[in-house]
Amino acid sequence: MSAKAVVIKNLTKKFANPGGVGEFTVIDSISLEVERGAFASIVGPSGCGKSTLLNIVAGIEPYDSGQVQVHSAGGTSNSTARIGYVFQSPRLLNWLSVEDNIKFALEAQSIDKKRWNGQVKKYLELVGLSGQELNYPLKLSGGMQQRVAISRALAIEPDILLMDEPFSHLDEITARKMRVDLTEILQKARPTILFVTHSLREAVFLSEEVYMMSLKPARIFKHVRVDIPRPRQPEDPRLFDLEKNLVQEFFAVLEQNLR
Ligand SMILES: Nc1ncnc2c1ncn2[C@@H]1O[C@H](COP(=O)(O)OP(=O)(O)OP(=O)(O)O)[C@@H](O)[C@H]1O
Ligand SMILES: [Mg+2]
């Protein structure tokens, strides 16, 4: 049996209602597991609770009931697992250079200062940004900023990398390139990934495991394994067929949701 990097059991999360009276269930008894080294995606419509779920896994949002375990590569303790997080927008510190943005994250993780320059060089090279060390975020394109955010998250060498719709703000051509680049980057740096998206096409292209989430409250209504070998081609007809079938299932479930 292979090792699990993330185990979520019967997770339920409630938020206070917008008016402040009572609460609503945003996530309803979700269970999922991610094997070490796997790329798992969660796909769901806007507002279903995807970012909330990632924040819970990251330990920055409390939850009401259930269990959430993030296992480090060497052990099973929640507290020692190192988590990298790529947010929906790059969230760089605009007053710090590219390399200082990465060093800021290394410092926050208490990584030995002697390793900082090496990590900056290695992970900027991995995302194709060598030479941008001294540049500032606002002088980079959106795609380049997101690459810095990815290299910052990888540079801490996380046990698990959380990615929240990292390409959703990019134009389709750039997003396509970034998806292909990401799969290449991950051949070299191979953390476990929990990736959130509203795009089934993106999920089936990138993942080994796809979890499909319904809306209000969010439940996992389907779990699919994508067995297509890597490297994958974005135009592979098997990906289109899989996407087409899953889209139909999504519509059926969302129609029930809206009834
Ligand atoms: N801190 C909060 N307090 C109250 N309600 C919240 C809070 N954060 C999120 N919500 C509500 O929880 C629901 C899920 O929000 P969340 O941001 O997790 O959705 P999402 O699936 O990430 O959406 P998107 O795809 O648009 O990013 C929404 O109805 C949102 O209004
Ligand atoms: Mg979100």
Side-chain angles (χ1 to χ4, degrees):
M1 201 181 69
S2 48
K4 307 286 180 219
V6 181
V7 179
I8 298 175
K9 280 191 196 143
N10 302 323
L11 172 70
T12 295
K13 166 73 183 171
K14 296 174 182 172
F15 276 127
N17 276 325
V21 181
E23 33 181 39
F24 71 99
T25 302
V26 57
I27 291 172
D28 187 14
S29 196
I30 277 184
S31 298
L32 66 88
E33 292 184 344
V34 187
E35 286 177 13
R36 178 154 317 291
F39 194 124
S41 287
I42 297 169
V43 191
S46 186
C48 75
K50 304 182 295 299
S51 296
T52 304
L53 179 63
L54 282 196
N55 287 340
I56 290 171
V57 175
I60 55 181
E61 181 75 54
Y63 52 97
D64 292 272
S65 59
Q67 284 176 29
V68 177
Q69 297 165 357
V70 184
H71 300 308
S72 64
T76 55
S77 157
N78 231 355
S79 56
T80 57
R82 188 173 281 164
I83 297 176
Y85 204 157
V86 178
F87 298 95
Q88 243 166 308
S89 56
R91 292 208 204 177
L92 300 175
L93 302 171
N94 292 332
W95 59 93
L96 292 181
S97 66
V98 165
E99 73 168 43
D100 284 346
N101 265 278
I102 297 172
K103 286 179 179 173
F104 189 87
L106 295 171
E107 183 165 28
Q109 293 289 337
S110 309
I111 289 168
D112 186 353
K113 207 168 180 174
K114 287 193 223 98
R115 294 183 59 212
W116 289 6
N117 284 333
Q119 293 298 92
V120 168
K121 187 174 180 315
K122 175 174 173 185
Y123 287 96
L124 279 179
E125 200 173 303
L126 207 58
V127 299
L129 285 181
S130 294
Q132 297 293 337
E133 290 78 354
L134 301 180
N135 211 345
Y136 281 81
L138 294 179
K139 297 199 173 173
L140 302 175
S141 71
M144 290 163 89
Q145 289 184 33
Q146 200 56 294
R147 278 167 201 272
V148 176
I150 292 170
S151 92
R152 175 179 63 180
L154 288 171
I156 65 166
E157 297 186 342
D159 294 301
I160 168 134
L161 179 60
L162 307 175
M163 303 185 91
D164 190 357
E165 304 193 41
F167 310 135
S168 61
H169 291 308
L170 305 175
D171 66 89
E172 184 50 27
I173 302 292
T174 309
R176 259 177 187 236
K177 178 163 175 12
M178 295 276 291
R179 283 179 208 125
V180 174
D181 288 354
L182 179 65
T183 59
E184 283 167 10
I185 290 166
L186 295 176
Q187 308 262 297
K188 296 172 196 151
R190 191 86 199 133
T192 308
I193 313 246
L194 188 54
F195 187 98
V196 152
T197 177
H198 54 246
S199 161
L200 271 167
R201 180 169 303 180
E202 182 167 78
V204 295
F205 174 63
L206 290 171
S207 317
E208 271 98 40
E209 312 278 343
V210 178
Y211 289 93
M212 290 164 56
M213 245 167 130
S214 61
L215 185 67
K216 288 192 172 131
R219 293 198 180 105
I220 304 244
F221 67 89
K222 190 169 178 96
H223 168 216
V224 196
R225 256 199 89 83
V226 185
D227 285 325
I228 299 167
R230 298 179 190 276
R232 296 175 184 165
Q233 304 305 320
E235 310 305 336
D236 188 328
R238 290 173 295 182
L239 292 172
F240 281 112
D241 287 345
L242 184 56
E243 183 199 352
K244 195 172 79 186
N245 294 339
L246 295 179
V247 164
Q248 280 166 0
E249 293 198 39
F250 240 119
F251 276 128
V253 167
L254 291 182
E255 260 174 39
Q256 278 173 14
N257 264 188
L258 295 173
R259 261 187 214 138

